[in-house]
Amino acid sequence: MLYAIIGTDVPDSLALRAAARPAHLQRLQALREQGHLVLAGPLPAIDAADPGPAGYSGSLIVAEFADLAAAQAWAAADPYVAGGVYAQVDVRPFRQVLP
């Protein structure tokens, strides 16, 4: 089943994101190589593709996992969690309708 993982950043997370980003992307790439990643990306803090120093307010990941517990465990082990980027992580079942 698919799950939406929504990470909400702490205030002023840009430097923390930069430090943890390589390890975060490595885990996402592994999901992609396994054929489980649907989409992933940051949520800009302002209405701009490149928010510059405003940074990001969080991230959205949609991926396939065996069950909710597996999705939650994967999310809890994210380098953005360990690196203090996320203040909160919400994991929810997701049903893709389109495309």
Side-chain angles (χ1 to χ4, degrees), residues 2-55:
L2 294 178
Y3 294 89
I5 300 169
I6 304 155
T8 304
D9 283 21
V10 298
D12 301 316
S13 63
L14 203 52
L16 296 171
R17 274 183 167 267
R21 189 169 191 261
H24 172 76
L25 292 178
Q26 185 176 32
R27 291 183 82 236
L28 289 171
Q29 183 61 31
L31 269 183
R32 183 174 180 228
E33 289 169 0
Q34 296 163 4
H36 296 298
L37 183 65
V38 175
L39 65 89
L43 304 170
I46 60 172
D47 188 12
D50 180 358

Side-chain angles (χ1 to χ4, degrees), residues 1-4 62 92-99:
M1 181 163 182
L2 294 178
Y3 294 89
V62 177
R92 299 180 185 192
F94 178 79
R95 183 173 162 234
Q96 184 175 359
V97 176
L98 294 171

Side-chain angles (χ1 to χ4, degrees), residues 58-72:
S59 302
L60 170 64
I61 299 165
V62 177
E64 183 179 358
F65 294 93
D67 54 32
L68 180 59
Q72 290 170 327

